[in-house]
Amino acid sequence: MENPQCIVILDFGGQYTQLIARRVRECGVYSEVLPYSTPLAEIRDKAPLGMILSGGPSCVTDVSAPFCDIGVFSLGVPVLGICYGMQLTSIMLGGGVNACSLREYGRSQVAMDRRDKGLLRGLATQSYCWMSHTYQVSQMPAGFDVIAHTDHCPVAAMADETRRIYGVQFHPEVTHTEEGRKVLQNFLFDICGMKGDWNMAAYAELEVARIRKQVGLVFQYPEYQLFEETVAKDVAFGPKNMGLTKEEIDERVRWAIAQVGLDYAAVAASSPFELSGGQMRRVAIAGVLAMRPKTLILDEPTAGLDPRGRRAILDMIRRLHAENSMTVIMVSHNMDDIATLATRLVVMGKGELRMTGTPREVFKHRDELRAIGLGVPQGAELCHRLRALGFAIPEGLYLLPEVLDAILTLAGKAAPSGASEPVAAMLAQALAMPGPDALEGAAAPPDAGDAQPDGASPAAERGRA
């Protein structure tokens, strides 16, 4: 089931909107709820076979009442308005709506006036339905006929069979409406021509396939997966399997190579195995970027690189997020890398979620992180040790520039009460203690815990984390 037949439900704020979607799906038809303000072009792109306008709490005659694009009624597909959706249909197509002389709320007996065809085909002459309205259609638009009524609501349902536009004042989606399911089935199958062959299992399979096309995964040491004779051919491997034209493939290759900070003219015709380790890794990442993923997952992206290569990779990750609005998920044990990039952390240990939050929130839990084989950034570790020595270092610092500012502020003050050493000597003592890398290395094996930030961000965005 590649592209299931679809019913689009426009949501006007009704309490039963999601229930409408559920009832449609229970009939074996895929439904999608969109805001009432959705542009017509976006609705058209969904290629619905029918539209449902939901109920809502607003009065359709108010100046601030929510209206959809009137083009909804000209898409050439059937439309069913429910409660507010029916009143909206009437107003937008030239009819009228007035306040009820007697508000109807609860189960009401509805007389089904046209049961031989269309929306109410096959229903009983009298049927209990759920009403909830203080306004009702007072004048139908041209081309509409009354197909149901109650003692207090002359137009409980209306139909324009020529344009296949319908409205019901009652709620067919709630169980209190005795034959509500039959009303929806008539609309979906008889009027819209739906097959009713959709199911959640098929939908899940379809969504997984769709998501896979949007996610790019770069494994640890991806340079070991390079295999083509030139850089350009290696980066082009993925796009070639997407059925793109030669021109589209070339454009993607050039774009991807530029995104990883390499010069296309300088490296395209070269063997990837003639490049440095850091450059090879960037070529491997370019091969994934050429697939144009919306989300990029990087597993230990700086592992094994020298300082220069590490900086280049981290700078590249910042650019990818900032310039392409790409979500970057980085799986790493290197808390200093995480500290400079992440806006949010997800900490895992032995396959279980241990904690989540912003870096500032998570890095406060130094001991808990060490217990599962992780550490904290060098800045956070230094702050912890200085506090252990009695210095008034604020909680939550982890970025080296802010840690340095705190230390410089302290350097101009007297030593903590009861201390005999000058501040400078105590700072030196703290700095001389075993480094966090040594502590982390002894805490647990590398796979004891993973920190996974679900987004990478430039420094300018960290303040919003």
Side-chain angles (χ1 to χ4, degrees), residues 72-92:
V72 163
F73 300 101
S74 303
L75 287 174
V77 300
V79 178
L80 171 62
I82 297 176
C83 196
Y84 178 89
M86 172 181 172
Q87 298 169 18
L88 180 72
T89 300
S90 179
I91 288 289
M92 294 187 73

Side-chain angles (χ1 to χ4, degrees), residues 310-328:
R310 174 178 173 271
R311 285 193 300 271
I313 291 292
L314 295 179
D315 288 343
M316 178 202 71
I317 294 173
R318 288 189 185 93
R319 288 196 307 273
L320 288 174
H321 176 74
E323 297 175 5
N324 300 285
S325 298
M326 182 181 295
T327 298
V328 179

